[in-house]
Amino acid sequence: MSAHKPTSVEPTANIPKKPYPFWLGGAAASIAASITHPLDLTKVRLQTSGDKGMIQSLRKTVHNNGARGLFDGLTGTLLRQMTYSMTRFAAYDWAKAEVHKGPGPPPAYKMALAGSIAGGIAGIIGTPFETLMVRMQADKAKPFEQRYNYRNSLQGFYRMTSEEGVSSWTRGLGPNAFRSILMNMSQLASYDWFKHELLQAKLLEDGPVLHFVASLGAGTVATTVCSPADVIKSRIMTAHGKGTSSSMDVVKRSLATEGPMFMFKGWVPAWTRLQPTTILIFLILEQLKKGVDVYREAGGQML
């Protein structure tokens, strides 16, 4: 009687998929932020100045500084994306793998937990560059004597450190980290959730249309959840002097002069800016991932 020959097992069947490069999220965010920069600029100026509406603020910027003025502070934005955004996407993928070890996609609460962890890490790392970006964007909306006049992000970071000390790196750390937790909990987790639910219900197939719809929902959720922390953060970061205003001081002062709706000041430009940014980030990120897959299938080893 001949011995039974065991069937061969495909050697790659149980090998987990190689993670995507950690910098893909930062690259996608940088491309998206470059396109939507004028809207982000307008949001910050609405939050920190006396401008009454998005259109008025846009017109004022163009009138005072020309069309190029819509891209004031772009280098600060790019530096921020390649620190904060790169960290949050990389940390989110890591956190999802840590909080969910079982089969299948993680449930919504674990996605939210992973997003919160990623947001906390990225918020701490990105705070100095967030401060720099906000200052560069808000600068020309302020009276001349109150401007920082940073030439670019590197010179601005050097001046911020030399003139105000290393403590300037933590200016607005509390509200910025809190906003970052809210942003990543609401944006990254809700994108994954919308995407999973739409696929589960077989309403859409995996592709650009699905990514667009999921990111549309994620952007709306994130704008609403993050607006109060975003306004407080911007007002603390643009305040002059070495001393910092506490979050409670800003809240009390703003409530007394503007009422509770100050927390949603700039919501429309924030949504208008965050929505296309969110859509672009995820559409670009999905395409970058697809490109990496194609490259690897062709035998590429560098990614």
Side-chain angles (χ1 to χ4, degrees), residues 267-285:
W267 189 94
V268 172
W271 181 86
T272 306
R273 189 272 310 177
L274 186 61
Q275 198 61 272
T277 299
T278 301
I279 292 169
L280 285 169
I281 285 175
F282 287 115
L283 285 177
I284 293 168
L285 181 58

Side-chain angles (χ1 to χ4, degrees), residues 166-243:
V166 176
S167 62
S168 64
W169 294 5
T170 62
R171 189 162 198 166
L173 176 62
N176 188 54
F178 181 58
R179 175 194 176 276
S180 181
I181 291 170
L182 294 177
M183 171 62 74
N184 289 280
M185 177 185 70
S186 57
Q187 188 191 57
L188 299 185
S190 64
Y191 175 78
D192 273 354
W193 183 84
F194 279 120
K195 185 178 173 182
H196 175 263
E197 291 300 310
L198 290 167
L199 283 172
Q200 190 85 349
K202 298 182 178 178
L203 295 175
L204 292 170
E205 295 181 355
D206 195 6
V209 175
L210 171 68
H211 305 153
F212 175 85
V213 175
S215 57
L216 190 68
T220 301
V221 172
T223 302
T224 305
V225 170
C226 295
S227 182
D230 200 24
V231 172
I232 294 168
K233 175 210 66 162
S234 293
R235 294 186 177 190
I236 289 176
M237 287 180 171
T238 55
H240 273 262
K242 291 188 177 181

Side-chain angles (χ1 to χ4, degrees), residues 28-40:
S30 295
I31 296 169
S34 298
I35 297 170
T36 61
H37 183 78
L39 296 172
D40 197 31

Side-chain angles (χ1 to χ4, degrees), residues 153-163:
S153 59
L154 297 180
Q155 187 258 5
F157 187 65
Y158 171 78
R159 276 189 51 199
M160 189 173 82
T161 304
S162 62
E163 293 172 9

